Amino acid sequence: MNISIEDQLGLISFEVDKEKHIKVETSICRQCVDKPCLRFCPSKRFTLEKGEIVHNYEGCLECGSCKFACPKGAVDFSYPRGGYGVYYKYG
Amino acid sequence: MSEKFDAIIVGAGPAGSAAAYSLAKMGFNVLMVERGKYPGAKNVMGGRMYAYALNRLIPDFWKEAPVERCVTREKLTLLSEKSSVTLDFQDNELLEPPNSFTILRAKFDQWFANKAVEAGATLIPNIRVDDLLWKDKRVVGIVAGTDKLEANVVIAADGAVSLMAEKAGLKKFLAKEFAIGMKEIIEFSGKTIEDRFNLASEEGAAQLFIGQCTKQIPGGAFIYTNKTSLSLGIVVYINQLIESKVEAYELMREFNSNPAIAKLIAGGKIVEYSAHVIPESSRTGLFTDGLLVVGDAAGLLVNSGITLMGMDMAIASGMAAAEAVKIAIGKNDFLKKSLSYYEYLLKNDFVLADMHTFKRSPKFLQNTRLYSLYPELACKLFHRLALVKGPKKRLFDEFLEETKGKKIQIIRDLIKGLRSL
Ligand SMILES: Cc1cc2nc3c(=O)[nH]c(=O)nc-3n(C[C@H](O)[C@H](O)[C@H](O)COP(=O)(O)OP(=O)(O)OC[C@H]3O[C@@H](n4cnc5c(N)ncnc54)[C@H](O)[C@@H]3O)c2cc1C
């Protein structure tokens, strides 16, 4: 089974908030050569657009990894407001 | 709501619900706050819970709880690129009394939280706790939006990424202390599952994989059988994942396509993908004035390689916290010294005892040879044994040949392994 992350995320239910729960200080990312966020995020929410890191909070699985895996401390992590975000049917 | 609670519990996972249920049964006024739409909405696990911990709280819980299958078959598979070696352990004594069950958290956590509500606890879902409420340098309640709620004690049961423990100054987050898990639920008919895993109905299998599936990154993969689905996933240490330059999601995709796995899941339908971090060795301070920390929030989890004990630790620590709160209420003293009784209880129960027994295992399990050299070696050895092209050698000679130049390292690892696991 070879399914893309977009298709995977399409299977999951989300209550999308207007407010971002994760904020990324991209000026710090410019100095980061390795950019591991492009790899460790299991739902690939970090992408590179025109050389800049972009974080898309929609589709975030709230796994918590970016809270501490960003080596530069560029990620300001919190959970979505109550009731918002992912809701698993199986878990 | 201006009343003061005996205890406010942040998070309705197994640790929170165990504490809420225990305190409510003791007759205390408890509030449990959960940020998800329902308890379990945010929660992910591989899929197997050992029964003994919950059985102490709710005897014979499996007669009413939404458990999937009772595990009677344990498999360990060493994977290389093209081949695999599997150890298959079948034991019907694991059925009576039940040793472990596969579960799905969205269903299970709702049931457990509801047990606490039936016992008299108040549950408020859809609310994120934003902060702890402080007075004279002690925790006296919680802050959620514009609401401030007071309690004698707050119990942080908010899981692996416990923002409450961090706010209390009890926790720092380090990537090397965490693993990341990714998981898929794949639907089948119950009959297909029983045929493929050689199971009687109601019985279940737990299969662990090490080797090629994590591309030599310390960690492993799993398959657990549910009633009509498989839980299939991968767990890797985050810092080594980063060093390896491998993409997390790629691991999940490639695991699915490994020939040994593809056969097991052929014809199934993926119905959910999920991910969560695991506090493999991230210990937290257990208490401070007015606050107790339980379950994953406190890093109370043991990974001994084959067994991952998180649920049982969460439940046992929730129960111990409730016991400590009861004593503290009796003394009307909620300061550190009084609440330290919680730690005493954990030390005398299996929780901290097991953490101590397996204190070396996180380090041992980060040895990359476990995920590269050994699975490779096992597969090659069996390949040599299986292949017939002419005169055969004795097993021992094949072993000597295959391990040339590596024997001292292997013996060292073996000794370390025996001391750690
Ligand atoms: C991939 C994977 C596989 C695993 N496999 C196993 C296994 O096979 N067996 C096993 O025993 N364990 C396993 N575990 C570990 C197990 O899932 C945890 O140990 C267990 O969930 C811990 O329970 P808990 O109640 O402490 O935390 P959680 O279950 O994480 O519950 C925390 C709760 O707090 C809520 N919360 C968090 N912050 C807030 C806030 N600010 N306000 C309100 N609510 C909040 C969350 O929504 C959640 O409901 C696995 C974990 C993972 C990720």
Side-chain angles (χ1 to χ4, degrees):
Chain A
M1 261 176 263
N2 204 349
I3 94 167
S4 73
I5 191 65
E6 287 70 28
D7 288 346
Q8 290 276 27
L9 297 180
L11 299 170
I12 310 170
S13 307
F14 293 96
E15 194 71 60
V16 180
D17 197 356
K18 295 184 294 288
E19 233 174 69
K20 281 187 183 187
H21 62 281
I22 289 174
K23 298 186 187 90
V24 183
E25 187 49 65
T26 48
S27 61
I28 300 177
C29 307
R30 270 175 231 141
Q31 272 121 54
C32 177
V33 184
D34 188 26
K35 298 190 175 28
C37 55
L38 298 172
R39 307 188 303 267
F40 69 66
C41 174
S43 57
K44 297 204 199 186
R45 293 300 84 199
F46 294 83
T47 49
L48 205 56
E49 282 170 30
K50 296 192 184 111
E52 294 270 302
I53 290 286
V54 176
H55 181 265
N56 181 359
Y57 73 100
E58 294 181 23
C60 166
L61 301 177
E62 301 159 38
C63 75
S65 58
C66 60
K67 159 108 183 134
F68 43 80
C70 166
K72 305 281 180 197
V75 176
D76 177 9
F77 175 92
S78 94
Y79 293 114
R81 289 188 296 166
Y84 287 101
V86 68
Y87 57 105
Y88 292 122
K89 305 256 170 59
Y90 301 86
Chain B
M1 239 187 277
S2 60
E3 67 183 301
K4 182 170 172 181
F5 293 91
D6 291 315
I8 294 178
I9 298 165
V10 184
S17 287
Y21 178 85
S22 308
L23 284 164
K25 280 254 155 170
M26 294 168 188
F28 295 117
N29 185 12
V30 211
L31 173 69
M32 182 158 61
V33 186
E34 164 60 45
R35 68 186 184 90
K37 269 182 193 287
Y38 41 84
K42 308 284 186 184
N43 302 344
V44 181
M45 77 186 264
R48 170 240 293 273
M49 176 178 77
Y50 292 96
Y52 66 100
L54 186 52
N55 196 37
R56 293 197 298 197
L57 187 62
I58 306 175
D60 294 348
F61 68 87
W62 52 87
K63 292 184 178 152
E64 51 168 314
V67 294
E68 295 290 316
R69 288 170 184 268
C70 180
V71 177
T72 55
R73 192 160 211 127
E74 307 271 352
K75 294 188 184 189
L76 175 65
T77 299
L78 306 176
L79 271 184
S80 79
E81 198 94 35
K82 290 183 217 129
S83 56
S84 61
V85 178
T86 299
L87 212 69
D88 185 347
F89 176 67
Q90 216 298 119
D91 186 354
N92 275 345
E93 278 186 19
L94 298 176
L95 266 180
E96 207 48 64
N99 180 58
S100 68
F101 292 98
T102 54
I103 57 172
L104 294 166
R105 294 290 299 278
K107 290 186 209 164
F108 180 83
D109 288 11
Q110 283 187 74
W111 169 82
F112 197 7
N114 198 44
K115 290 296 287 184
V117 172
E118 280 171 11
T122 304
L123 166 71
I124 313 185
N126 284 309
I127 297 289
R128 178 187 71 189
V129 176
D130 297 317
D131 211 341
L132 296 165
L133 188 65
W134 296 84
K135 195 167 150 192
D136 303 330
K137 292 194 177 159
R138 60 158 287 203
V139 176
V140 294
I142 56 160
V143 182
T146 51
D147 289 328
K148 294 187 172 77
L149 300 175
E150 288 188 39
N152 286 323
V153 187
V154 173
I155 300 179
D158 50 341
V161 181
S162 171
L163 300 184
M164 296 302 123
E166 186 183 43
K167 284 180 196 291
L170 295 173
K171 190 166 194 86
K172 284 206 173 64
F173 293 92
L174 299 173
K176 66 169 198 259
E177 297 175 343
F178 286 85
I180 174 89
M182 292 156 280
K183 170 183 169 186
E184 287 172 348
I185 302 281
I186 306 183
E187 251 177 16
F188 290 95
S189 73
K191 171 116 189 5
T192 308
I193 291 176
E194 284 145 24
D195 289 348
R196 286 191 193 175
F197 288 83
N198 220 329
L199 299 165
S201 68
E202 315 271 304
E203 292 181 17
Q207 185 164 8
L208 298 178
F209 301 83
I210 57 174
Q212 187 270 340
C213 49
T214 59
K215 300 201 171 178
Q216 349 247 299
I217 304 167
F222 58 79
I223 294 183
Y224 293 102
T225 58
N226 304 311
K227 281 196 174 112
T228 56
S229 65
L230 297 179
S231 292
L232 169 147
I234 295 234
V235 174
V236 283
Y237 281 90
I238 291 183
N239 60 328
Q240 274 134 321
L241 172 76
I242 291 174
E243 280 165 26
S244 72
K245 312 278 176 193
V246 170
E247 223 178 70
Y249 183 62
E250 252 352 91
L251 287 174
M252 185 80 237
R253 255 181 25 167
E254 286 185 22
F255 180 55
N256 274 342
S257 333
N258 183 296
I261 310 307
K263 258 185 246 165
L264 287 172
I265 60 173
K269 184 171 149 232
I270 302 187
V271 292
E272 191 171 84
Y273 173 66
S274 58
H276 205 281
V277 296
I278 304 173
E280 294 277 347
S281 60
S282 170
R283 288 295 304 280
T284 306
L286 293 168
F287 52 86
T288 186
D289 295 330
L291 179 78
L292 290 168
V293 189
V294 296
D296 270 15
L300 297 171
L301 180 139
V302 166
N303 183 353
S304 71
I306 306 285
T307 52
L308 182 56
M309 298 163 55
M311 292 293 287
D312 40 346
M313 297 264 167
I315 291 166
S317 62
M319 288 166 68
E323 199 56 39
V325 170
K326 181 178 94 180
I327 302 292
I329 290 175
K331 294 194 285 189
N332 197 28
D333 177 357
F334 305 97
L335 296 180
K336 263 185 226 167
K337 192 152 176 289
S338 168
L339 294 182
S340 70
Y341 184 55
Y342 168 53
E343 186 167 18
Y344 169 83
L345 289 170
L346 292 182
K347 275 190 183 140
N348 285 282
D349 196 5
F350 68 91
V351 178
L352 286 179
D354 281 3
M355 297 277 307
H356 184 76
T357 308
F358 291 104
K359 66 178 187 300
R360 290 197 188 94
S361 84
K363 186 152 176 252
F364 176 73
L365 292 173
Q366 296 212 22
N367 174 351
T368 52
R369 283 187 295 279
L370 287 182
Y371 312 94
S372 48
L373 176 64
Y374 298 121
E376 250 344 288
L377 195 65
C379 290
K380 280 194 188 148
L381 201 60
F382 275 87
H383 179 80
R384 280 170 178 263
L385 291 175
L387 200 71
V388 179
K389 273 190 184 163
K392 292 280 291 173
K393 288 188 186 148
R394 288 180 306 147
L395 171 64
F396 191 61
D397 293 328
E398 298 278 26
F399 177 76
L400 290 181
E401 207 158 299
E402 199 54 64
T403 57
K404 240 184 232 158
K406 300 170 194 147
K407 287 190 195 66
I408 293 175
Q409 194 54 264
I410 291 174
I411 291 166
R412 276 207 193 131
D413 284 345
L414 188 68
I415 293 169
K416 272 195 209 147
L418 290 173
R419 292 179 56 186
S420 306
L421 304 181

